[in-house]
Amino acid sequence: MIARTAPKSLTRFFSLSRHLCTATGTQSQKLERIADEILSLTKLERNDYAVLLRYKMGFNNYGPAVTGIGSPSSAGAASSGPGSDAKAAEKVVFDVKLEKYDAASKIKIIKEVRSFTDLGLKEAKDLVEKVPVVVKKGITKDDAEAIMAKLKDLGATVVLE
């Protein structure tokens, strides 16, 4: 009984929310077919499907991985053709790595590291003294380049990873 009423509620949902998205009629039918197939699975099959879907989308146990939904690498993996390799090679998330710095500008670098991290004075000092070390992880290219420029102005050697 539940399986028979669920498609009707999905149809009602799609008819009510159709104006909220750009889905065409064929896309709505495709989504309804997928939903019907998922509803017809057993609990164990649905669990396996959920695990597989999270894996394919780039999620791990702790949240989104570096390549998540909508990133060029996941879109490139889904598409085929000669252009997909170039899309998959694009990097979206960067790490800023402090390679070395001038001893005279150590205090300024520590202050700058504190400005873009949530570290206290001692933690920032310990981090800077561990060179080479990643000082900021998982940021966009624009943010990484801004941090890199500030640290280079202070006399540090910085690389993007």
Side-chain angles (χ1 to χ4, degrees):
M1 184 79 181
I2 294 174
R4 291 184 182 172
T5 59
K8 289 180 184 176
S9 64
L10 286 175
T11 305
R12 194 172 340 136
F13 170 75
F14 281 117
S15 66
L16 292 175
S17 65
R18 192 162 289 163
H19 68 279
L20 298 175
C21 63
T22 60
T24 63
T26 57
Q27 289 175 337
S28 296
Q29 291 172 355
K30 181 179 178 183
L31 293 175
E32 284 185 50
R33 183 186 51 80
I34 292 169
D36 290 338
E37 289 179 18
I38 290 172
L39 288 173
S40 69
L41 298 175
T42 65
K43 285 184 179 182
L44 291 174
E45 289 172 331
R46 281 193 298 249
N47 182 45
D48 291 343
Y49 176 75
V51 170
L52 178 65
L53 186 64
R54 277 188 236 117
Y55 174 75
K56 291 272 189 175
M57 292 173 65
F59 288 91
N60 61 21
N61 292 338
Y62 305 107
V66 173
T67 58
I69 300 172
S71 68
S73 60
S74 66
S79 66
S80 61
S84 66
D85 293 336
K87 290 181 182 177
E90 286 184 40
K91 198 170 180 185
V92 178
V93 179
F94 294 89
D95 298 337
V96 178
K97 184 175 183 181
L98 180 64
E99 291 286 327
K100 61 182 178 177
Y101 59 89
D102 295 331
S105 61
K106 179 179 175 181
I107 295 173
K108 293 177 184 176
I109 291 174
I110 292 171
K111 287 181 181 179
E112 189 61 38
V113 167
R114 286 189 67 206
S115 72
F116 60 81
T117 61
D118 293 330
L119 299 176
L121 182 61
K122 177 152 178 34
E123 292 86 4
K125 179 181 177 276
D126 292 342
L127 183 70
V128 169
E129 289 176 345
K130 288 184 199 175
V131 291
V133 66
V134 175
V135 292
K136 190 74 174 176
K137 291 183 182 180
I139 56 175
T140 63
K141 187 173 184 174
D142 295 334
D143 293 340
E145 287 176 347
I147 291 170
M148 197 167 90
K150 290 177 185 177
L151 290 174
K152 280 186 177 182
D153 289 343
L154 297 174
T157 304
V158 185
V159 294
L160 290 181
E161 292 186 337

